[in-house]
Amino acid sequence: MRLLNLSIIFLLLFSCHSSQPVLKKQIDPYQYEINKKVIATNGAIASAHPLASKVGLMIMQNGGNAFDAVIATQLALAVVYPNAGNIGGGGFMVARLANGETISLDYREMAPGAAHRDMYLDDKGNVIPGLSTLGHLSAGVPGTVAGLFESMKYAKLPFEQLIAPAINLAEKGFVITDSEARGLNNLQPDLKKYNTVSNIFQKEHGWKAGDTLIQRELANTLKRIKDRGAAGFYEGETANLIVAEMKRGKGIISLEDLKNYKAKWRTPHSFTYRGYKVISMPMPSSGGVLLNQMLKMVEPFPLAQYGFHSPEALQLMVEVERRAYADRAEHLGDADFYNVPISVLVNESYLKQRMQDFKAGLASTSEDVKPGKIPMNGSEQTTHISVMDKNGNMVAVTTTLNNSYGSKTIVGGAGFLLNDEMDDFSAKPGVPNIYGALGGEANAIAPGKRMLSAMTPTLVLDNEKPFLVIGTPGGTTIITSVFQTIVNIIDFKLSTEEAVNKPKFHHQWYPDHVDVEPEFPQNARTALERMGYKINQRSPIGRTEVIRILKNGKMEAVADNRGDDSAAGY
Ligand code: DON
């Protein structure tokens, strides 16, 4: 896709102040293309926005590694992809260093100190609609900036260089795509309702593709981060602006909450699937554990023999998804606060038992499939970036504001959107969140606790060698999309593009139906209906970004067709 070629084209130089060396690589924010597939030798990246992928690519071309690229790309996404790219949200990183070490970083938002388990209930104990998804009270304490600075441990370039492209894109502007224009136009009523001061996204006569979006307040916030590091966000002027916004809008994030926020290094959740090693995100994401459950539950079955989208394969995968999500609702929550029985949940004999009531050709019901019993002694909008560099560093980052444009609240004077991640907690047992997910005690709200996530940044190794970098947005469909993408590649031997773009399906225990994308084949749908499944056609599922390392050692980066997602490499 070619965007507007304006008569005045300015080239975005990497360095934004004169004391920094000006890098020769340039980005043209007025004219850029979306590339769905790139084969690269030295470094590859796929993200939700072409300008952001370009930033990551140029950082690698200028001597940066995959960590430098992912940091710069996240910062660029916070500017060019405001519906999910963020500094007001949180995320997870899973990475494998060139030396084989695997790491994961949790910069998930946390509940403010003044949060409490019933904060979204009225005096009759009912959930107040919208309170956990819109406006000031829906925001958790943002984690992204802390995460970026923790990730610097593995970066090579100075932070000033990594943030410079984002500052330039914010300060000088970039042209928006058609989908961004539509997103901003749909947002207008909420912008009026959930903001205390007017902001740059508001536009009386609407946005259109090719308009230039300039975000000066955001540029100033990014400059404070450049000058003061994480303290440029969690303390001083930015923190004061956040807290002033909270006070104006009856939010509860305090200066102390911001100052106390810490990103946490975690041990990745790793397991094997048909001889491949899968490395994914541990708690407080349910991603790694559920992906492990799903893959291990299908492993005893000859999926390849059944065939892609065959009734046998579809039914098996649906039933596996149902069982994993039943366990999620009951047993998963921030493991720093709740004793999550992880080792039992992924134990092979436990999973075999979970599948004992599976009947080929016949739908089970979610009423019958309860969460697994644990022995007492056991203990839509997000965005994903996949990167790999020439040294073999593999990095998968999924980051989110939760809903598209998060809480719809922009911090007055600071120009960035706050998340509505508090909705990922269980506001009340048995009451579904915005993705229909259920939860209970394990995921109840508590001060300082991190809400359960489905984000699943994942790496796959073949014979201990890099094979796949994967991840996607999509709320609860994230885990099933990553599950299906892996099975599509490993079992069904689909090309990377097919594995990413072929229609996906999703079951999450409740509601008891199979979600399918509009393009899901009619014959597969009929086959499932004959077995007793209720089918629900819904909007597209996921926007998966994959890097696959080919047999000849080249990197194939594929960006999902479902959005403006774009791949880059060299
Ligand atoms: O962390 C989670 O699981 C959700 N907040 C992710 C939200 C999401 O993927 C929305 N994107 N479509």
Side-chain angles (χ1 to χ4, degrees), residues 81 83-84 90 92 108-109 284-286 328 380-383 398-404 420-421 423-424 433-435 451-456 472-479 538 540 542-543:
Y81 190 56
N83 37 343
F92 297 126
R108 181 71 162 165
E109 299 90 328
S285 178
S286 59
R328 180 190 199 263
E380 225 157 296
Q381 181 78 17
T382 304
T383 188
T398 315
T399 176
T400 188
L401 289 167
N402 194 25
N403 268 317
S404 199
D420 64 325
E421 219 72 60
D423 189 62
D424 273 347
N433 74 0
I434 199 154
Y435 302 106
M451 52 299 278
L452 183 63
S453 175
M455 291 189 286
T456 314
T472 182
T476 44
T477 69
I478 291 174
I479 311 168
R538 53 156 284 167
R543 283 170 64 171

Side-chain angles (χ1 to χ4, degrees), residues 138-427:
S138 67
V141 183
T144 294
V145 174
L148 295 176
F149 281 98
E150 277 299 323
S151 321
M152 283 300 292
K153 180 172 173 193
Y154 297 101
K156 277 167 69 185
L157 300 179
F159 188 77
E160 300 89 87
Q161 219 163 307
L162 305 182
I163 199 171
I167 294 175
N168 275 329
L169 286 163
E171 199 159 48
K172 296 177 182 143
F174 65 99
V175 295
I176 61 170
T177 64
D178 183 50
S179 68
E180 197 61 63
R182 275 185 280 122
L184 288 171
N185 290 339
N186 293 338
L187 188 66
Q188 296 301 312
D190 282 347
L191 285 178
K192 276 202 188 121
K193 263 195 195 154
Y194 302 106
N195 284 284
T196 58
V197 291
S198 65
N199 59 73
I200 197 68
F201 299 118
Q202 283 173 303
K203 198 167 188 213
E204 205 178 331
H205 301 297
W207 293 90
K208 56 183 187 325
D211 282 349
T212 299
L213 177 60
I214 294 174
Q215 301 170 79
R216 289 205 182 84
E217 289 179 345
L218 176 58
N220 290 335
T221 301
L222 293 171
K223 284 180 190 168
R224 288 192 291 275
I225 295 170
K226 175 183 67 114
D227 293 340
R228 292 198 54 203
F233 182 86
Y234 291 102
E235 296 172 45
E237 188 176 341
T238 313
N240 290 335
L241 288 168
I242 296 173
V243 172
E245 183 61 58
M246 287 289 133
K247 290 202 170 125
R248 288 194 299 271
K250 299 201 179 74
I252 55 173
I253 296 176
S254 67
L255 284 176
E256 210 187 359
D257 289 330
L258 291 164
K259 205 167 171 196
N260 288 341
Y261 184 86
K262 295 264 176 302
K264 296 183 184 178
W265 291 102
R266 309 264 186 198
T267 306
H269 185 93
S270 303
F271 57 96
T272 59
Y273 175 64
R274 299 197 200 281
Y276 292 84
K277 185 165 183 192
V278 181
I279 302 148
S280 192
M281 192 64 210
M283 306 299 300
S285 178
S286 59
V289 173
L290 260 71
L291 184 63
N292 184 345
Q293 290 194 306
M294 290 176 193
L295 286 170
K296 281 294 181 194
M297 282 192 268
V298 298
E299 200 176 41
F301 296 84
L303 268 181
Q305 200 180 305
Y306 295 163
F308 175 69
H309 276 182
S310 65
E312 293 88 344
L314 288 171
Q315 191 212 357
L316 175 67
M317 291 168 80
V318 163
E319 290 298 339
V320 152
E321 292 174 4
R322 186 203 301 275
R323 283 160 179 77
Y325 270 96
D327 278 358
R328 180 190 199 263
E330 177 74 15
H331 300 299
L332 299 198
D334 185 347
D336 292 348
F337 281 72
Y338 183 86
N339 195 5
V340 182
I342 297 167
S343 56
V344 179
L345 291 170
V346 298
N347 176 288
E348 290 195 31
S349 55
Y350 168 83
L351 293 171
K352 217 165 153 194
Q353 214 181 345
R354 292 291 281 138
M355 288 301 281
Q356 248 168 13
D357 55 355
F358 167 74
K359 291 191 188 69
L362 193 67
S364 54
T365 67
S366 293
E367 215 182 315
D368 291 338
V369 176
K370 302 269 187 280
K373 293 241 177 318
I374 303 297
M376 289 312 285
N377 58 355
S379 117
E380 225 157 296
Q381 181 78 17
T382 304
T383 188
H384 178 83
I385 311 165
S386 290
V387 198
M388 178 149 173
D389 65 25
K390 61 180 175 209
N391 297 320
N393 293 301
M394 309 164 80
V395 185
V397 162
T398 315
T399 176
T400 188
L401 289 167
N402 194 25
N403 268 317
S404 199
Y405 304 101
S407 61
K408 329 293 190 231
T409 296
I410 292 126
V411 176
F416 64 89
L417 280 148
L418 286 168
N419 67 83
D420 64 325
E421 219 72 60
M422 290 297 283
D423 189 62
D424 273 347
F425 279 119
S426 176

